[in-house]
Amino acid sequence: MQHHIAIAGASGRMGHMLIEAIQAADDCTLSGALDIPAAPALGSDAAAFTGQPAGVAITADLAQGLQGAHTLIDFTRPEGTMAYLAACRAAGVNLVIGTTGFSEEQKAQIAEAAQDMAIVMAPNMSVGVNVTLKLLQMAARALSTGYDIEIIEAHHRHKVDAPSGTALRMGEVIADAIGRDLKECAVYERYGHTGERDPSTIGFSTIRGGDIVGDHTVLFAGIGERIEITHKSSSRATYAQGSLRAVRFLAGKRSGLYDMFDVLGLPRD
């Protein structure tokens, strides 16, 4: 089956990586390229940067960009994603969401839309990260008492949300595994006289700098030992390849909200 894919944020860093991945995949075709009205690249060929034009112009017109697409891949920002969500729902186009930073209300709107369309939503499309989430689930269950849990993440200077969606997902997976609610036990800031660490909490630390693609470490610190589970991304290519796996997974599906565990066939328990 040939998968016809539109890309949101087509002139951005992740947009370029996705377009390169589509161009290299025998079963994928770039059918549309979307960007914001102020994008300087509007009207230009979306794949011109590769030296192999695709014959697809970047547009801010949602109907034009989605025409002929089976699936839209979106790694933009929450406000943009919500507009793309409504357009895809109206056009009968499936959606792969890699955007992070959604509010609870926006997440609820996405879940509601999934009654009429098929969506894969994951804060990180990397296959390795999702295997790491599975390892964290196992580790958390075994280390639920006597170990302090800290999540440290580092990203490039341009990232606008913190902690990263991946770090938050790690926290959710760990909290669920040990019977806690992340909303109740997460600690995102420490400053001044904080007192002793509450053993029931999950701490987050955020680093922003340079061109770091994405590093995540979960530290289980006990007495006399500590365990660190780390994933480091050196290229956005891994997110692009995971996104194409999500596109293939959605083929033929009419509705439902899925994540990368579903795409990769990873068990939830």
Side-chain angles (χ1 to χ4, degrees):
M1 176 181 178
Q2 199 69 18
H3 304 278
H4 296 269
I5 305 168
I7 299 298
S11 59
R13 291 186 301 272
M14 193 62 215
H16 281 183
M17 195 64 72
L18 288 162
I19 289 167
E20 285 184 337
I22 290 168
Q23 295 282 76
D26 293 338
D27 64 342
C28 296
T29 299
L30 182 68
S31 66
L34 288 158
D35 218 323
I36 59 174
L42 285 187
S44 64
D45 190 288
F49 70 95
T50 68
Q52 296 179 317
V56 174
I58 299 175
T59 180
D61 185 314
L62 296 185
Q64 181 182 337
L66 293 175
Q67 188 173 7
H70 298 147
T71 309
L72 173 70
I73 303 177
D74 171 36
F75 279 78
T76 58
R77 294 189 181 179
E79 319 82 65
T81 298
M82 301 315 291
Y84 293 133
L85 176 74
C88 286
R89 189 177 190 178
V93 174
N94 288 337
L95 185 57
V96 172
I97 302 174
T99 306
T100 60
F102 292 108
S103 67
E104 292 303 315
E105 180 182 356
Q106 288 170 329
K107 289 178 183 177
Q109 291 173 12
I110 292 168
E112 192 273 330
Q115 297 176 29
D116 300 325
M117 59 189 292
I119 302 171
V120 169
M121 180 178 173
N124 196 307
M125 295 286 171
S126 158
V127 173
V129 160
N130 284 280
V131 172
T132 300
L133 291 174
K134 197 66 199 172
L135 296 174
L136 290 173
Q137 185 184 65
M138 296 167 58
R141 287 173 177 165
L143 307 172
S144 58
T145 57
Y147 292 82
D148 297 321
I149 304 170
E150 296 284 320
I151 300 172
I152 306 103
E153 61 99 340
H155 281 83
H156 53 88
R157 62 176 63 152
H158 302 293
K159 188 165 179 63
V160 298
D161 56 312
S164 70
T166 301
L168 291 172
R169 182 65 187 137
M170 288 176 165
E172 289 170 353
V173 166
I174 292 166
D176 287 346
I178 57 181
R180 300 180 195 169
D181 183 346
L182 188 64
K183 294 185 183 70
E184 303 295 327
C185 68
V187 174
Y188 297 113
E189 295 178 347
R190 293 189 180 106
Y191 177 76
H193 185 76
T194 61
E196 290 189 5
R197 189 188 193 284
D198 180 345
S200 69
T201 59
I202 297 175
F204 289 81
S205 299
T206 296
I207 297 165
R208 293 288 178 266
D211 62 353
I212 302 169
V213 175
D215 293 354
H216 295 86
T217 294
V218 178
L219 171 66
F220 296 88
I223 303 302
E225 67 175 5
R226 64 181 182 271
I227 298 166
E228 297 179 10
I229 297 177
T230 297
H231 179 277
K232 295 186 178 183
S233 294
S234 57
S235 168
R236 291 179 179 82
T238 182
Y239 308 142
Q241 292 303 322
S243 298
L244 294 191
R245 288 182 72 159
V247 167
R248 296 179 183 113
F249 171 82
L250 287 178
K253 290 183 171 56
R254 302 291 296 275
S255 64
L257 180 59
Y258 306 94
D259 61 19
M260 286 300 287
F261 276 23
D262 297 309
V263 172
L264 301 175
L266 293 173
R268 298 193 173 276
D269 296 324

